[in-house]
Amino acid sequence: MNPITLFLSAVCIAIGAAFIASGHPSLGVPFFVLAVIVAAALKMANTWERFVILRAGKLLGVRGPGLFLIIPVVDNVVAIIDQRIQTTAFSAEQALTKDTVPVNVDAIIFWFVHDAQKAALNITNFREAIDRVAQTSLREMIGSAMLSALLSERNAADQLLRNEISRKTLDWGISVKSVEIRDVAIPVALQDAMSRQAQAEREKQARVILGSAEAAIAGQFVDAARTYADNPGAMQLRAMNIIYETTKERGTTILMPTSMVDSMNPAFALALAGRDGGAAK
């Protein structure tokens, strides 16, 4: 009973009791009867509620929100429909994907009643029905999808489920706002196999990248060797730079062969270049 109806009924009862207490029962009894009529006839629907009313078994209409009157005994409120957004969690256990992989999927659906009359009269229990339809649609979607698509294309699966459930619940006056797949669980053995496969793919890619890098480095070495062969001075400078880089570390001892020391002598390098040039001629 709503607060307004409760207050008016209480006032009628208090007035009737006061008349009876003052010795006027003939005036007090009608107020008791009025209290019963008010309690049975005056209804109030909140802004999110709709009352479906039958009169002598036939549809009278949908009332709400606000205050309204019904005829006691003749009129009957068969359903009070909440039109706010509702959530229903559902799942599919050990459902087989298109590539015969058993998965456990948990999802949640957000829905609301857009037609209170259909929700009350076209189906016995729309809350239970939408749960069954959601589970059935989820299993159908899993059976028509590959495991890789189910894991990677989550948004597409959500949209497919939403469209399918909306199509089935439209005649019940129910609209589906969204469907979200929360978790897709696969067998542990398959998880290990997929992990090894992913690791092998990463190793393969790393080897390809390493091979490409080594090929590029080898090409750079060939170009450098040609430069040094045509220019002994550049070779000498490179050798001196290598020695300089190694001497930057403190506490190190470097042993250099005499041939390397002689190669750093400019006169020796020029003579060696002249000899190579004469031999070439």
Side-chain angles (χ1 to χ4, degrees), residues 221-238:
F221 281 159
V222 171
D223 294 340
R226 290 173 181 172
T227 301
Y228 293 147
D230 296 337
N231 193 346
M235 180 65 181
Q236 183 181 12
L237 291 175
R238 178 58 180 162

Side-chain angles (χ1 to χ4, degrees), residues 58-116:
K58 295 181 180 181
L59 177 65
L60 175 63
V62 179
R63 297 290 185 269
L67 289 171
F68 60 93
L69 293 171
I70 64 173
I71 301 176
V73 181
V74 178
D75 294 342
N76 181 27
V77 178
V78 295
I80 301 176
I81 305 298
D82 191 334
Q83 292 193 316
R84 292 176 293 184
I85 295 177
Q86 309 289 326
T87 59
T88 300
F90 59 101
S91 62
E93 297 182 357
Q94 297 299 314
L96 292 178
T97 61
K98 190 174 181 179
D99 46 352
T100 64
V101 177
V103 294
N104 297 335
V105 180
D106 292 329
I108 188 170
I109 181 174
F110 297 85
W111 57 274
F112 64 94
V113 177
H114 69 268
D115 192 327

Side-chain angles (χ1 to χ4, degrees), residues 122-196:
N122 289 6
I123 192 167
T124 305
N125 189 334
F126 62 88
R127 294 181 180 274
E128 182 179 353
I130 196 171
D131 181 59
R132 298 294 183 266
V133 166
Q135 289 184 359
T136 304
S137 301
L138 178 60
R139 286 187 174 274
E140 292 175 354
M141 187 273 295
I142 294 173
S144 61
M146 303 292 288
L147 177 62
S148 57
L150 190 61
L151 293 175
S152 60
E153 301 175 2
R154 191 74 62 86
N155 291 334
D158 292 345
Q159 187 64 28
L160 180 63
L161 269 178
R162 178 185 177 277
N163 295 338
E164 183 65 18
I165 298 174
S166 296
R167 182 183 63 83
K168 295 178 179 179
T169 60
L170 185 61
D171 292 338
W172 305 339
I174 295 174
S175 296
V176 178
K177 187 173 181 62
S178 66
V179 178
E180 297 180 5
I181 296 178
R182 296 185 296 179
D183 184 36
V184 179
I186 59 178
V188 178
L190 183 58
Q191 292 181 17
D192 295 339
M194 294 177 65
S195 177
R196 290 194 298 270

